[in-house]
Amino acid sequence: MPVPPSSPADDEQAPTGSRPGMTVLCAVALLVLAVSLVGGNDTSADSSRPPLAAQPGVSAPSAAGGQAGTDTDTDTGTGTGTDLPRSKPVRLLIPEISVDAPFTDLAIGANGQLEPPPPDDTNLVGWYAKGASPGERGTSIIAGHVDTKTSAAVFAYLGQLDEGDVFHVRRADGRQASFEVDGLETFDKDDFPSKRVYGDADRAEVRLITCAGDYDRKAKDYTENLVVFAHLV
């Protein structure tokens, strides 16, 4: 199964808490193999699609692959949208849906599945730490829980973003990378276009990913994935 390209290392109840009248979304959904996000623990109603193997024909972005953003002299901002050097993300800010959340690293576990953010923290996002960092050239993957069994979580309203909305990632190097939404799409999990979503890019791009559709109580999973496509500005 496909996996996002890697970069060098850095330094039984349905969920509740969604907004009335809005389709309930699930948590982090990465890549193409439909499995439970937290396995048999069932501490969250959410699901994951973790990577297993490298995508054929997709090269990994390198720390030297992006330009250093030398047109930026301040501690924040990306200048004219020039790719930034590799740096860990610190905080995700999405003003349109009132998201202000810290990051945690996400990795592939021994079972070949992406390890999710802690299920008991409703205001936390994760990034695939072996992929491109936000602002670095390539495709950066950011995911977060939408709900738990008891409450809404960080990506509860992700589906309310519109094309042209701007969100920001504060980075460990002091810069703030800003991204413009190119569009939102919902995909059936059985027909997920992994190459399109996770394929490498020749500019700095981000995918915000969660689940959508109906909640299948038997499978303890949702039927679709919501993906927000965005690029560095």
Side-chain angles (χ1 to χ4, degrees):
M1 294 294 180
V3 60
S6 297
S7 282
D10 279 305
D11 6 281
E12 174 59 358
Q13 75 183 63
T16 60
S18 61
R19 179 175 293 182
M22 178 184 176
T23 301
V24 177
L25 305 181
C26 77
V28 53
L30 290 182
L31 311 186
V32 290
L33 182 63
V35 295
S36 171
L37 178 64
V38 289
N41 294 332
D42 194 26
T43 55
S44 168
D46 304 321
S47 67
S48 172
R49 291 176 178 271
L52 293 180
Q55 290 190 22
V58 175
S59 60
S62 67
Q67 300 179 35
T70 54
D71 57 333
T72 302
D73 296 322
T74 59
D75 287 340
T76 60
T78 61
T80 59
T82 303
D83 302 335
L84 296 177
R86 186 167 180 81
S87 180
K88 291 184 66 170
V90 174
R91 203 158 192 94
L92 176 66
L93 306 169
I94 312 179
E96 294 294 333
I97 55 173
S98 301
V99 167
D100 182 350
F103 277 89
T104 188
D105 291 1
L106 301 180
I108 306 302
N111 60 358
Q113 300 176 8
L114 189 75
E115 296 174 345
D120 57 347
D121 191 335
T122 59
N123 191 48
L124 182 68
V125 292
W127 73 294
Y128 180 56
K130 297 215 173 190
S133 62
E136 183 182 14
R137 182 179 300 176
T139 303
S140 181
I141 307 301
I142 298 176
H145 292 285
V146 167
D147 52 28
T148 66
K149 289 182 177 180
T150 58
S151 68
V154 64
F155 277 172
Y157 306 133
L158 192 65
Q160 294 184 356
L161 290 179
D162 295 315
E163 181 179 349
D165 286 344
V166 175
F167 62 90
H168 315 281
V169 176
R170 291 180 182 164
R171 299 161 25 114
D173 63 4
R175 288 186 168 106
Q176 177 169 287
S178 297
F179 298 87
E180 181 177 331
V181 173
D182 297 314
L184 289 77
E185 294 192 52
T186 302
F187 305 106
D188 189 279
K189 288 188 176 182
D190 293 330
D191 192 27
F192 190 84
S194 56
K195 183 176 181 180
R196 178 182 168 201
V197 174
Y198 303 108
D200 199 11
D202 60 5
R203 62 177 182 172
E205 298 186 3
V206 161
R207 308 289 187 258
L208 304 179
I209 305 175
T210 191
C211 293
D214 296 326
Y215 181 72
D216 185 334
R217 291 173 181 269
K218 183 176 180 180
K220 298 180 182 178
D221 196 3
Y222 287 77
T223 57
E224 299 172 340
N225 291 138
L226 172 65
V227 180
V228 175
F229 296 83
H231 69 278
L232 183 71
V233 293

